């Protein structure tokens, strides 16, 4: 039985090339995924997704794998950068397609039908009455007929669009805050501001890198979760004393390595509709500083 799963057929060639290169390094070093996770600080489930092409390995993970397998990280960085550009473009296409579907649904009108009442059944033939009574009944029937005719005329146009049907446009669908959140996701939009992305269920596969830049030997990223409607800053691999900051308008948060041995630092989340409006900066203990482009 082969060790690795087949890579997805729709995978971009640049992402596929990176995944195959990482697989070869792991095979050459004779490492199991569990051992790889233990030595790099990235989880087993994360490495399985990286190596199967289901998730792009972050730059920090690629650097960590290179160090564990004795390869110069600089030899892998150009390959990762090419794959990261392809991955980001694919995510933008997915975002655009999802938005197009949402807008098309918002424009679907709700048609209100106005039923036309059936005319009353014909009255049974009346018994002979005095002429005065007959005249009165004829007049009453005439009045009823006129009323029914008027009703039909005023409502006949509601039967078909070609005749000017009354169409009530569907209200725009409630924004995502009104929709049920996926299992494990605890917030959306403004409710996520200031919260921990991982603890709120917004990280992992629900997040993607919206923008990134290398600062020294560290990868600085703006991470964005469309499911949660929020973004945050992250640096990998982080060391004691490294700091990452995120700014969105008047809101600013800072993140640092919180425990010895950790290699990732990230800020609390900020609610954003578009990650283009957020900027992340890194101030490293090594003296390097840098920010993601605006």
């Amino acid at each position: 039985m082969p060790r690795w799963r087949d890579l997805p057929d729709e995978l971009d060639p640049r992402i596929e090339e990176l995944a195959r290169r990482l697989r070869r390094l792991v095979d050459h070093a004779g490492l199991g995924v569990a051992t790889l996770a233990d030595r790099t600080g990235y989880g087993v489930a994360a490495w399985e997704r990286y190596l199967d092409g289901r998730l792009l390995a972050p730059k920090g993970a690629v650097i960590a794998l290179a160090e564990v397998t004795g390869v110069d990280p600089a030899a892998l960085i150009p390959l990762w950068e090419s794959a990261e550009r392809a991955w980001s473009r694919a995510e933008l296409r997915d975002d655009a397609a999802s938005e197009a579907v949402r807008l098309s649904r918002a424009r679907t009108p709700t048609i209100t039908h106005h039923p036309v009442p059936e005319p009353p059944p014909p009255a049974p033939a009346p018994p002979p009455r005095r002429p005065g009574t007959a005249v009165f009944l004829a007049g009453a029937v005439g009045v009823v007929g006129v009323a029914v005719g008027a009703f039909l005329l005023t409502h006949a146009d509601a039967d078909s669009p070609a005749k000017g049907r009354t169409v009530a446009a569907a209200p725009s669908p409630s924004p995502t805050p009104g929709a049920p959140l996926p299992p494990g996701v605890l917030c959306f939009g403004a409710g996520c501001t200031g919260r921990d992305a991982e603890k709120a269920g917004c990280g992992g596969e629900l997040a993607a890198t919206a923008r990134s830049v290398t600062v020294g030997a560290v990868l600085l990223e703006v991470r964005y979760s469309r499911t949660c409607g929020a973004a945050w800053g992250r640096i990998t691999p982080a060391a004691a004393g490294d700091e990452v900051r995120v700014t969105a308008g008047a809101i600013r948060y800072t993140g640092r390595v919180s425990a010895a041995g950790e290699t990732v630092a990230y800020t609390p989340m900020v609610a954003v509709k578009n990650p283009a409006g957020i900027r992340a900066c890194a101030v490293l203990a090594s003296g390097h500083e840098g920010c993601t482009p605006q």
Side-chain angles (χ1 to χ4, degrees), residues 118-212:
E118 296 181 359
R129 289 183 177 85
R130 291 178 300 174
T133 302
V135 170
F136 173 79
L137 289 176
V141 171
V143 171
V144 172
V146 170
V148 172
F151 181 88
L152 293 177
L153 286 173
T154 57
H155 289 74
D157 286 347
D159 288 340
S160 68
K163 296 181 180 179
R165 170 186 296 169
T166 302
V167 177
S172 298
S174 299
T176 309
L181 296 174
V185 177
L186 305 182
C187 65
F188 178 87
C192 291
T193 296
R195 299 188 65 166
D196 184 297
E198 298 301 325
K199 294 179 181 179
C202 299
E205 293 185 340
L206 295 183
T209 298
R211 198 176 294 106
S212 66

Side-chain angles (χ1 to χ4, degrees), residues 214-218 241-243 281-291:
T214 301
V215 180
V218 168
D242 291 348
E243 184 176 283
C281 296
V283 180
L284 308 181
S286 64
H288 291 91
E289 296 185 16
C291 298

Side-chain angles (χ1 to χ4, degrees), residues 13-223:
R14 290 162 291 184
I15 302 171
E16 180 179 351
E17 182 181 0
L18 175 64
R20 293 190 184 282
R21 180 69 177 274
L22 298 182
R23 286 180 174 187
R24 287 196 295 271
L25 290 176
V26 174
D27 287 338
H28 183 73
L31 297 176
V33 176
T35 303
L36 180 63
D38 183 62
R39 295 185 183 180
T40 60
Y42 291 81
V44 172
W47 273 116
E48 288 176 344
R49 293 184 177 94
Y50 302 156
L51 297 171
D52 285 345
R54 290 179 288 155
L55 190 65
L56 180 68
K59 189 175 183 180
V62 173
I63 292 173
L65 186 148
E67 293 173 347
V68 166
T69 57
V71 174
D72 182 2
L76 296 177
I77 297 305
L79 187 62
W80 178 86
E81 291 176 342
S82 177
E84 197 274 339
R85 287 192 293 271
W87 189 273
S88 297
R89 279 195 289 270
E91 287 179 338
L92 289 175
R93 286 196 300 271
D94 291 344
D95 286 350
S98 298
E99 182 67 6
V101 171
R102 187 188 72 78
L103 290 175
S104 68
R105 290 175 177 170
R107 295 190 185 105
T108 303
T110 299
I111 298 173
T112 303
H113 294 279
H114 297 280
V116 178
E118 296 181 359
R129 289 183 177 85
R130 291 178 300 174
T133 302
V135 170
F136 173 79
L137 289 176
V141 171
V143 171
V144 172
V146 170
V148 172
F151 181 88
L152 293 177
L153 286 173
T154 57
H155 289 74
D157 286 347
D159 288 340
S160 68
K163 296 181 180 179
R165 170 186 296 169
T166 302
V167 177
S172 298
S174 299
T176 309
L181 296 174
V185 177
L186 305 182
C187 65
F188 178 87
C192 291
T193 296
R195 299 188 65 166
D196 184 297
E198 298 301 325
K199 294 179 181 179
C202 299
E205 293 185 340
L206 295 183
T209 298
R211 198 176 294 106
S212 66
V213 67
T214 301
V215 180
V218 168
L219 176 66
L220 169 64
E221 302 169 275
V222 171
R223 298 285 288 171

